[in-house]
Amino acid sequence: FLKEDATLFRGILSDLFPGVVLPEHDYGILQSAIEEAALAKGLQVVSPQIKKVIQLYETQLVRHGLMCVGPTGGGKTTVYEILKDALTNLHSNGHEHYYYQPVHTYVLN
């Protein structure tokens, strides 16, 4: 979705279900693990970057495959490495959720 699409979609939902407010999803333990993974890499915890990691997580939940594209130095590698470390650490620390599995990456390019 584009930002503009999300706005239109919210409008359609509010027309179909007036008065219903969609709650924001609480990522709790995942967001904490993402922040810890960023700090372990020597990075500052910056809200837009954490949001991008969560967006990548959400995308990989509903897609069979994906590509990260963007300009050089845009943070593509950093974002997927932070997510990889966060999910692997959650599994290693005993969090029993089927999405929290060890992640192995193989770079083809």
Side-chain angles (χ1 to χ4, degrees):
F1 284 109
L2 298 174
K3 183 178 179 180
E4 295 80 14
D5 293 335
T7 303
L8 291 172
F9 184 69
R10 284 190 192 104
I12 293 169
L13 285 178
S14 68
D15 288 345
L16 292 172
F17 306 103
V20 175
V21 178
L22 295 175
E24 290 293 321
H25 189 78
D26 177 23
Y27 287 97
I29 190 73
L30 176 63
Q31 184 163 344
S32 297
I34 289 169
E35 291 172 0
E36 289 171 12
L39 290 172
K41 289 185 156 304
L43 302 170
Q44 293 179 352
V45 174
V46 182
S47 181
Q49 184 179 43
I50 301 304
K51 185 175 180 180
K52 286 295 178 190
V53 175
I54 290 172
Q55 288 173 345
L56 178 62
Y57 172 75
E58 290 175 338
T59 301
Q60 64 96 26
L61 290 179
V62 298
R63 302 280 185 243
H64 293 290
L66 58 92
M67 291 188 298
C68 295
V69 296
T72 302
K76 300 176 298 293
T77 302
T78 301
V79 165
Y80 86 73
E81 286 181 348
I82 289 172
L83 181 59
K84 173 188 74 157
D85 294 345
L87 293 174
T88 300
N89 291 341
L90 284 169
H91 179 77
S92 298
N93 293 337
H95 292 281
E96 297 291 328
H97 193 284
Y98 51 92
Y99 290 141
Y100 303 157
Q101 297 296 320
V103 177
H104 307 280
T105 58
Y106 304 94
V107 178
L108 300 176
N109 189 350

